[in-house]
Amino acid sequence: MADDRQHPMLQYIINNPEAFAQNLAKTLEQAGKAMAAYIEPREQGKIKDSGADELSGVIKTLAQVGEYWVSDPQRAFEAQSRLWSGYINLWNSSLKRMLGEPCEPTVQPEPRDKRFADPEWNQNQFFDFIKQLYLITSKWAEELVLEAEGLDEHTRHKAEFYVTQISNAISPSNFLLTNPELLRLTMESNGENLVKGMEFLVEDLRSGRGELKIRQTDPSKFQLGENLATTPGKVIAENDVCQVIQYSPTTEDVLKRPLMIVPPWINKFYILDLTREKSFIKWAVDQGHTVFVISWVNPDERQAEKSFEHYMKEGILNTLDVIKRTTRQQEVNAIGYCVGGTLLAVTLAYMAQKGDDRIKTATFFTTQVDFTYAGDLKVFVDDEQISLLERRMAENGYLDGSKMSSAFNMLRSNDLIWSYVINNYMKGKDPFPFDLLYWNSDSTRMPAANHSFYLRNCYLDNKLSKGDMIIDNERLDLKKVTIPIYNLATREDHIAPPRSVFLGCSFFGGPVEYVLSGSGHIAGVVNPPHKNKYQYWVNGKPEGELEDWIRDSTEHPGSWWPHWDAWIRKQDDTLAKARKPGAYRTKLLEDAPGSYVMTRI
């Protein structure tokens, strides 16, 4: 009797050799176009490759790790023995499996590792062997960095980061012939996925003008003012640095104190005004806040000399003047998000020095004022790297937004780079329409003076918390900031780690409410109450160690937004009649979200 069961390897046989050959030819044709799209702007001098400088830094860092291990023959032998021991264990377990004997895997991926989710990574011995070989090798390389002695903290941090990037890049999941899902799809479609993937690659190289701008979502599905950033409002002021937006009230009465939001200028403000269901701005308006938002300019060479001081004066301080003119209110609640929060903290210290008390409460979303534990972005910050970056920024007067976007994506390269390389260019699939990833890809430039000041004074020298930062000839002291502060951190944040935010609380001179939200830098902030997602922890005054604070904290399910609103009202719940944009002869320039946010690069 014949066995009707199909042999598992038959799924890796080409269905139609003729169609496969035709699609392979089309793939090669598209690959040629991709190569041309990459080379042409370089031949024309429009792109100056700086890869050699960056590669030199990587090699120099990893060489220090290698030097520790090869300088002592005994250490070198131990390191090699450890690797070969892992390989021998894998070989032995593979032989047992071939003979039909039960055996446990030599190594397994982390439970959250999505790269090896396809069943064939476990069921097919060939792919299982490749997977385990990769995991053994990458784990060994990581251990070499961790165990190398004599490295300073920054060098070790860089080495860990570089090894992780290399390890992620060479994963067998990233290659057609070693990824069972990709190989199966290619055989089933006779290579049509490769043709489509190469077409996407050509489009992305052309849209990036020779730089690979990996699409993370379908940009045709989103339009600012139509299905993103739709909260009604008006632009009521603008200058070289920003526009000021006032949002239309939806309640008869509002809190007397207006709410000023200072978003980051890395990316754009509408992270707080995505769809109507996710919009923090709309939610705050519906709770009775008169919301004003700073929409930063997407700078070019004209803003090259705009520094932190200019962003403080022409951004925050100017907006406070605008708010007073249009509401006749002197007292304001303020929110700062990420680097916008750092600028707000700088401004508060400056205002305290000047005796300006218009801001009565400050809320910080994932904001650092001390950079001792500033996370993985510190990998990119040392005097050598900043000097190289400053030379590049001097050419145009700004840092191109793609550079910052690439740096952030590398912090989670498996999720934000390689998963899209596989989906777009190997599977040939359109990325899923996702508003958050559309915002993530809508990057902005950084003015040279501003970015240089930020990197050197905050990340490199940590001057703000030390009391050494000077703005407009004023030495800033955060201890003079005595207003109530609501300091939100997110538990999985790699950009502003919760430990960094927690430590930052201790530098202010007044009461600080530290709140820890579930999830990360974006999702932990943009968490509307009706979603009932994640959780947050509270535990009064942030003292001692973060681990102890978390252990003794109280966990609450869902969003922290209502908790924040109650905290604001606890400071002052005085009400006033709702204020519409245009009061007191304020000129209305255009509808929200304004024109500055529309500028794309």
Side-chain angles (χ1 to χ4, degrees), residues 399-449:
L399 177 66
D400 192 79
S402 63
K403 304 299 182 185
M404 284 301 300
S405 179
S406 295
F408 283 116
N409 288 341
M410 286 174 70
L411 299 183
R412 293 173 52 210
S413 59
N414 278 333
D415 293 330
L416 296 177
I417 297 177
W418 296 112
S419 65
Y420 293 102
V421 169
I422 293 169
N423 182 80
N424 301 359
Y425 308 139
M426 296 185 181
K427 292 183 180 179
K429 293 182 178 180
D430 286 304
F432 185 76
F434 188 18
D435 52 7
L436 186 58
L437 289 175
Y438 176 85
W439 168 84
N440 188 58
S441 65
D442 191 6
S443 55
T444 56
R445 305 181 189 98
M446 305 291 112

Side-chain angles (χ1 to χ4, degrees), residues 329-372:
Q329 292 299 321
Q330 178 85 3
E331 299 183 353
V332 172
N333 296 318
I335 292 176
Y337 192 170
C338 191
V339 66
T342 305
L343 180 67
L344 176 60
V346 166
T347 306
L348 289 171
Y350 178 83
M351 294 172 72
Q353 194 72 19
K354 292 287 190 179
D356 186 341
D357 63 352
R358 285 178 288 178
I359 296 178
K360 293 301 183 182
T361 72
T363 297
F364 295 112
F365 296 166
T366 61
T367 292
Q368 298 177 104
V369 296
D370 178 86
F371 291 78
T372 305

Side-chain angles (χ1 to χ4, degrees), residues 307-488:
S307 68
F308 239 58
E309 180 180 328
H310 292 94
Y311 271 52
M312 177 186 76
K313 290 183 175 179
E314 299 174 33
I316 296 178
L317 296 179
N318 174 68
T319 300
L320 290 173
D321 293 339
V322 171
I323 291 173
K324 183 178 179 181
R325 284 198 303 269
T326 196
T327 66
R328 295 299 192 263
Q329 292 299 321
Q330 178 85 3
E331 299 183 353
V332 172
N333 296 318
I335 292 176
Y337 192 170
C338 191
V339 66
T342 305
L343 180 67
L344 176 60
V346 166
T347 306
L348 289 171
Y350 178 83
M351 294 172 72
Q353 194 72 19
K354 292 287 190 179
D356 186 341
D357 63 352
R358 285 178 288 178
I359 296 178
K360 293 301 183 182
T361 72
T363 297
F364 295 112
F365 296 166
T366 61
T367 292
Q368 298 177 104
V369 296
D370 178 86
F371 291 78
T372 305
Y373 306 116
D376 288 339
L377 282 178
K378 289 190 78 172
V379 165
F380 303 107
V381 180
D382 51 47
D383 192 66
E384 183 179 351
Q385 292 186 86
I386 294 176
S387 296
L388 176 62
L389 189 64
E390 287 169 338
R391 290 195 295 272
R392 290 181 194 163
M393 290 193 295
E395 295 175 5
N396 297 313
Y398 56 82
L399 177 66
D400 192 79
S402 63
K403 304 299 182 185
M404 284 301 300
S405 179
S406 295
F408 283 116
N409 288 341
M410 286 174 70
L411 299 183
R412 293 173 52 210
S413 59
N414 278 333
D415 293 330
L416 296 177
I417 297 177
W418 296 112
S419 65
Y420 293 102
V421 169
I422 293 169
N423 182 80
N424 301 359
Y425 308 139
M426 296 185 181
K427 292 183 180 179
K429 293 182 178 180
D430 286 304
F432 185 76
F434 188 18
D435 52 7
L436 186 58
L437 289 175
Y438 176 85
W439 168 84
N440 188 58
S441 65
D442 191 6
S443 55
T444 56
R445 305 181 189 98
M446 305 291 112
N450 180 311
H451 200 52
S452 176
F453 182 95
Y454 178 52
L455 292 179
R456 287 194 175 278
N457 285 269
C458 294
Y459 274 92
L460 187 62
D461 296 329
N462 202 15
K463 288 186 175 181
L464 180 58
S465 62
K466 293 177 180 177
D468 293 334
M469 183 178 287
I470 296 175
I471 294 278
D472 190 27
N473 297 317
E474 297 287 350
R475 185 177 295 273
L476 305 184
D477 181 2
L478 288 175
K479 283 297 181 185
K480 294 184 178 180
V481 179
T482 57
I483 62 173
I485 288 173
Y486 189 99
N487 209 358
L488 177 79

